[in-house]
Amino acid sequence: MTNRLPEPCFDIAHLAHVEMYTDKFEESLNFFVNVYGLTVSAQDENHAWLRAWDDYEFHSLKLSRHHTTGVGHIAYRASSEAALMRRVSVIEASGYEVVGWVDAEKGHGRAFRFSDPFGHLFEIYYDTVRYEAGSDERPALKNLAQRYHGRGACPRRLDHLNLLASDVEEFKKFMETCLGSRVTEMIQLDNGRIGGCWFTINNKTYDLACTEEHAGGNARLHHVTYATDTREDILRAADIFLENRVHIETGPHKHAIQGTFFLYVWEPAGNRIELANSGARLILAPDWETVVWTESERKKGQAWGLKTIETFHTHGTPPITRQS
């Protein structure tokens, strides 16, 4: 049996932004700006639109004041208006829950929204707003959207996010059908279930991962990740987080799956945030075969032997409220 990927579908260009909920808005905003090192593109009483210095769009993270934590929606940008309409037709015929068109908001034009079977809300759009730096953020080079400011950890761009689902196989069908995603790596458990999948819609190794929900929640977020240029950036960030009393969950270390150098922390409201460096690893082979990891292989831990900590399997946002 071959695990060769299906024919690429390039209707979707890239992961565009993630909306994150926080019940500690001011504390979370301070973390993302002054410790993590993002830039505020716009702000009102209940929202902040944030970006890393090499994100070309207006924002890559929408931070929203909320009664709890987790993910509000996940946004992808289509490759063209025609590609957007092709995807809309596919999604409408897919049988998955459709919300429909929503009006333009800060950062992009109208968007088409739909949900996976586990309650995560997605949107796709084409018309976008490119970031225009003010005088204090204007870069020296005209091919950059913003200068490198060096504030906090100062990641370069949005990289990926990880969602939790009780049935990863069903989530896999959703991603392949609605977004035309391909699975580059996956975990096959001994009980026959899929423990995790890593998805791409372009030549990146992945832009979204889904791992199995162990706590019985719905529509939960595992983490959001921004990319750095080097491993040294992540080592520097670890000291910055330490000095700012940020909870470092695990790392710095190297993943076995996808080979990324990583560091995981919890922002003040409890959402898990990662910094990662994947180097220049891309999926260039047109006949790439999905790499399948066994349960016994994963139990060996990360690339250099670090065991996966227990909270990585249990902590997600929003937290699970147990009935007494």
Side-chain angles (χ1 to χ4, degrees), residues 22-24 27-32 246 266-271:
T22 173
D23 55 3
K24 297 180 179 180
E27 293 95 328
S28 294
L29 181 58
N30 178 69
F31 165 83
F32 279 112
V246 174
W266 297 359
E267 58 88 32
N271 293 299

Side-chain angles (χ1 to χ4, degrees), residues 208-239:
L208 187 146
C210 179
T211 49
E212 193 169 47
E213 171 68 81
H214 295 281
N218 291 307
R220 295 214 300 162
L221 172 70
H222 193 271
H223 67 266
V224 173
T225 303
Y226 277 74
T228 66
D229 277 330
T230 69
R231 292 179 179 178
E232 285 71 23
D233 291 330
I234 295 175
L235 296 175
R236 171 178 172 270
D239 281 333

Side-chain angles (χ1 to χ4, degrees), residues 14-31:
H14 62 86
L15 175 67
H17 62 264
V18 178
E19 180 184 21
M20 181 179 291
Y21 290 151
T22 173
D23 55 3
K24 297 180 179 180
F25 182 77
E26 287 76 18
E27 293 95 328
S28 294
L29 181 58
N30 178 69
F31 165 83

